[in-house]
């Protein structure tokens, strides 16, 4: 499918597999890229040396384009930037920070830059910073998110009215029909996170994957807004967060509660009680764990079927 996003990344389908801490290493990224989408290595949970290894393995596992996601709140930013440039990474998705900080540097080094936003205000900032495209992420999305609580259904057309650069919709997309819906609203492509957590190649612990496929509607909540808002699956750790709120914990207390490597404990080590489990509302629609290539082909099959049924607009 040729459009602004597939042309920008030189890929077959305008499907981006989201960069995700503790889930998207080289195995998932290369599988998605080999299937015709854009695979992304999530650098947010990797030490610089680990990121290097994942890039090397991904370069061996696929000849197709892939990218690296760098959340801009990462403590050793200079090291990660140096690695992506020196190892010839062609596409970088930045998130969770100011797009003005690194965009020019990356672009000077020939890298295509995409920034993730969750509001119109930051979409305008990202465009002004010179990024090549933006990911517009709605309130439904898994992981860290904005405070505005704007849903994908509202955010995509709102941003589309004001922005000229290509737009990638994210948040709540796990099916070809949802992909089509966001493209009707003005998106040129989609970024998908939660659906790819429940894939064979995701590095997430099997306990977490099993939890995702049994989650129902209402089983997640966007919380911890005083720190960085994050959508969590409601487990024992989430209940501890709720109790902390009820007892009037300060920001510092909340930091301490989160501080014990909770995300790694839950999503990577499989502790379903004490760990932090990041997933989107769309988990309610994910019922199986399957190969990433099948996820991509199912998405496209359903997308084409649904678009054939549309009356001419
Ligand atoms: C387990 C998990 C980890 C995530 N980690 C990151 C991350 O490191 N960087 C980032 O920009 N977004 C992260 N996200 C958000 C995704 O990039 C993506 O935008 C989001 O998952 C899209 O919504 P969906 O989950 O409804 O598909 C994460 C999401 C999940 C589910």
């Amino acid at each position: 499918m040729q459009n602004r996003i597939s042309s920008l990344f030189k890929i077959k389908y305008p499907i981006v597999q989201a960069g995700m801490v503790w889930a998207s290493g080289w195995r998932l990224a290369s599988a998605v890229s080999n299937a015709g989408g854009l695979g992304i290595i999530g650098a947010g949970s990797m030490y610089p040396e680990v990121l290097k290894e994942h890039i090397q393995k991904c370069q061996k596992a696929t000849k197709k384009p892939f990218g690296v996601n760098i959340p801009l709140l990462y403590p050793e930013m200079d090291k990660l930037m140096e690695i992506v440039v020196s190892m010839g990474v062609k596409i970088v998705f930045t998130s969770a920070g100011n797009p003005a900080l690194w965009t020019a540097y990356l672009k000077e080094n020939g890298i295509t830059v995409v920034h993730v936003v969750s509001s119109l205000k930051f979409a305008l900032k990202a465009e002004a910073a010179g990024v090549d495209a933006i990911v517009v992420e709605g309130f439904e999305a898994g992981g860290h998110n904005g405070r505005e609580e704007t849903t994908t259904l509202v955010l995509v057309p709102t941003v589309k009215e004001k922005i000229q650069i290509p737009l990638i919709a994210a948040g709540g997309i796990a099916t070809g029909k949802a992909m089509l819906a966001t493209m009707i609203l003005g998106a040129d492509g989609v970024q998908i996170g939660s659906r790819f957590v429940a894939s064979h190649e995701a590095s997430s612990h099997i306990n977490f994957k099993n939890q995702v496929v049994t989650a129902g509607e209402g089983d997640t909540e966007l919380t911890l807004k005083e720190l960085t808002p994050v959508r969590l699956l409601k487990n024992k750790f989430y209940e501890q967060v709720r109790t902390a709120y009820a007892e009037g914990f300060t920001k510092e207390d909340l930091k301490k509660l989160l501080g014990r490597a909770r995300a790694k404990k839950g999503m990577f080590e499989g502790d379903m009680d004490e760990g932090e489990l990041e997933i989107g509302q769309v988990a309610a629609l994910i019922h199986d764990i399957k190969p990433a290539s099948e996820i991509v082909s199912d998405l496209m099959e359903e997308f084409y079927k649904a678009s054939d049924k549309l009356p001419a607009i």
Side-chain angles (χ1 to χ4, degrees), residues 18-21 69 71 95 137 141-143 170-173 191-194 197 267 278-279 282:
M20 294 180 284
V21 288
N69 166 244
S95 56
E137 191 189 57
I173 304 162
Q191 170 167 288
I192 296 181
S194 298
V197 170
M267 296 187 279
E278 299 179 15
I279 207 72
V282 79

Side-chain angles (χ1 to χ4, degrees), residues 140-209:
E140 304 90 324
H144 293 287
N145 207 318
R147 292 180 171 78
E148 294 79 7
E149 304 202 350
T150 313
T151 59
T152 306
L153 197 71
V154 172
L155 192 58
V156 170
T158 305
V159 172
K160 180 69 185 176
E161 270 185 7
K162 306 278 184 202
I163 289 283
Q164 309 305 317
I165 54 177
L167 192 160
I168 301 166
I173 304 162
T175 63
K177 283 181 188 164
M179 177 176 164
L180 179 62
T182 58
M183 290 177 78
I184 290 172
L185 291 173
D188 302 286
V190 290
Q191 170 167 288
I192 296 181
S194 298
R195 174 61 271 195
F196 283 111
V197 170
S199 68
H200 290 174
E201 295 86 350
S203 57
S204 332
H205 196 281
I206 186 65
N207 293 352
F208 179 40
K209 295 181 188 179

